[in-house]
Amino acid sequence: MVKVPSFSPLSSLRGSSRTPAQRFIPVPTAQAIVDCAVYVDGKRLPGRFTHQAALARAREERNGFVWVGLHDPDQTQMNDIAETFGLHQLATEHALQRHQRPKLERYDDSLLLVLRTVSYVEHEIDSVSEIVETGEIIVFTGPDFVVAVRHGEHSGLAEVRKALEEDPAQLALGPGAVLHAIADRVVDSYIEVAQSVENDIDEMEEEIFTPRSKVTVESIYQLKREVVELRRAVNPLGAPLELLSHKPDLPVPKEVRRYLRDVAEHHAAVAERINDFDEALSALISAALARIGVQQNTDMRKISAWVAIAAVPTMIAGIYGMNFDHMPELHQVWGYPMVWVLILAICTGLFFTFRRNKWL
């Protein structure tokens, strides 16, 4: 008996018209963790830890805490971190939001600090392009942990961690020392970006008052817009820093508050500098518009001078083109050259007159 092979129904070969639902495949939390370490008495314990194992080890030690750094975690990864460290649900939502204002919030014995990071983008002075790039750092601190969540490629904290690990006495102050170091690094970046923007403004000012320069009003407006974005990122951090440095009931050691006062002073200075940039750019816009007006007036004077010179031969040619039978000099041999001499003499006189008056 011959067995006939069975075939799938024709409809299955053609494929279904329905699009299968896409399944979400969770990415392990470890993929978002940049570094995870346990510190005891200001020294990093050897070995590698998961965030759960690191917290358990830190709580076994008397003066230990965990520092976890994450970069662009998703909802599932952040929920895992929140469950491990006991973060408040509202605080967890802040960690996933982009383009937040700098702020400080307290949840029982933990703090949430949101900082905006800035980075200077190299560009041509007369171009209309992005100048200031922004990102975020959200820092959670508790009695025995620090969780730093970064958004953006320029906001790395590897140098901050390395500098703290080289200073065990500072790191021994606990999570507050890490909070101070991150805030200090962010404010230092504000100063660096402000200096670069100030150099741009100085260069643009020099170009504007240089004859035949290439700087346009559009490039000044672009720089002004970038300064506005820089001010929105920098200025709101002043209030959180004042609270951290002057409010004793916050869970921040007294020694750390002293360091935070220094950071707050630096921040106030750079914020004032950025406000001055806005005024300087407004003055540059006024100067550029005035320069454009002067240039337009100069062009109009040149055009008017050439029109006056061209009107002389046009007028004489118009008079002798009226086709009357009886007009002087029409039948004279010297009539034609005399008209040319007259035209050239009047035009030359007008040319030198306008040239002497700087219209040409």
Side-chain angles (χ1 to χ4, degrees):
M1 180 178 181
V2 180
K3 293 184 178 181
V4 180
S6 60
F7 295 94
S8 300
L10 186 59
S11 60
S12 64
L13 292 177
R14 291 176 179 173
S16 173
S17 59
R18 296 180 180 178
T19 304
Q22 295 181 352
R23 292 189 302 172
F24 174 74
I25 301 177
V27 179
T29 306
Q31 296 294 325
I33 295 177
V34 179
D35 199 354
C36 177
V38 180
Y39 298 91
V40 178
D41 294 327
K43 297 181 180 179
R44 178 170 182 160
L45 296 184
R48 301 181 63 181
F49 300 89
T50 64
H51 55 287
Q52 297 96 337
L55 184 61
R57 179 64 184 275
R59 288 175 175 173
E60 290 176 0
E61 303 290 341
R62 183 175 180 182
N63 296 317
F65 71 93
V66 182
W67 181 359
V68 180
L70 299 99
H71 183 242
D72 286 334
D74 59 26
Q75 181 73 55
T76 304
Q77 294 166 342
M78 200 61 220
N79 289 340
D80 183 21
I81 294 292
E83 183 179 355
T84 300
F85 292 95
L87 303 179
H88 196 277
Q89 181 180 358
L90 293 176
T92 308
E93 292 176 358
H94 287 308
L96 297 172
Q97 294 176 3
R98 300 291 188 97
H99 308 297
Q100 301 181 69
R101 284 175 59 88
K103 59 185 174 182
L104 175 69
E105 294 184 0
R106 180 175 183 176
Y107 299 91
D108 298 328
D109 59 348
S110 64
L111 293 177
L112 164 68
L113 178 64
V114 178
L115 306 104
R116 292 288 299 276
T117 60
V118 296
S119 176
Y120 179 78
V121 180
E122 294 292 339
H123 63 284
E124 296 293 332
I125 190 64
D126 58 341
S127 66
V128 180
S129 60
E130 187 178 25
I131 300 170
V132 178
E133 204 175 63
T134 60
E136 290 87 26
I137 297 179
I138 300 96
V139 184
F140 302 91
T141 61
D144 50 13
F145 68 85
V146 177
V147 177
V149 181
R150 298 188 296 108
H151 298 294
E153 298 299 328
H154 64 273
S155 54
L157 298 175
E159 294 181 1
V160 176
R161 188 185 290 265
K162 182 179 178 182
L164 274 177
E165 290 176 354
E166 293 174 354
D167 188 3
Q170 183 73 10
L171 197 55
L173 296 174
V178 178
L179 182 67
H180 158 260
I182 294 174
D184 187 45
R185 177 67 188 92
V186 170
V187 172
D188 284 346
S189 70
Y190 292 165
I191 297 173
E192 294 171 4
V193 172
Q195 183 61 53
S196 298
V197 173
E198 185 175 9
N199 293 338
D200 281 347
I201 294 174
D202 291 342
E203 186 177 352
M204 191 170 285
E205 184 177 8
E206 184 179 352
E207 286 286 333
I208 285 175
F209 294 105
T210 300
R212 295 181 295 275
S213 64
K214 297 181 180 179
V215 176
T216 61
V217 178
E218 288 79 8
S219 60
I220 305 176
Y221 274 119
Q222 173 69 13
L223 184 55
K224 186 176 176 64
R225 190 188 70 81
E226 295 294 317
V227 167
V228 170
E229 184 175 357
L230 179 62
R231 188 176 67 239
R232 288 175 179 172
V234 172
N235 288 12
L237 184 59
L241 290 177
E242 285 295 320
L243 290 175
L244 286 170
S245 58
H246 292 94
K247 201 169 183 182
D249 60 333
L250 291 177
V252 178
K254 181 178 179 180
E255 186 67 25
V256 174
R257 286 204 302 272
R258 294 174 181 170
Y259 290 108
L260 284 169
R261 277 196 283 271
D262 183 64
V263 176
E265 290 175 2
H266 291 169
H267 175 270
V270 74
E272 184 177 352
R273 235 169 125 188
I274 293 172
N275 291 334
D276 293 340
F277 293 164
D278 195 32
E279 296 178 6
L281 286 171
S282 297
L284 283 182
I285 290 174
S286 300
L289 292 176
R291 178 184 169 186
I292 291 173
V294 171
Q295 184 63 42
Q296 289 176 343
N297 290 336
T298 302
D299 294 340
M300 287 302 299
R301 285 191 302 178
K302 289 181 179 180
I303 293 171
S304 300
W306 286 114
V307 168
I309 293 173
V312 173
T314 303
M315 180 187 67
I316 295 175
I319 291 174
Y320 281 92
M322 291 188 292
N323 297 323
F324 288 107
D325 289 334
H326 303 286
M327 291 183 70
E329 293 89 26
L330 282 179
H331 303 288
Q332 301 295 333
V333 177
W334 45 266
Y336 178 74
M338 185 198 69
V339 169
W340 272 112
V341 169
L342 181 64
I343 290 174
L344 292 175
I346 296 175
C347 290
T348 302
L350 288 174
F351 177 81
F352 283 107
T353 300
F354 290 135
R355 192 69 175 269
R356 185 172 58 252
N357 294 329
K358 299 186 186 225
W359 278 46
L360 289 176

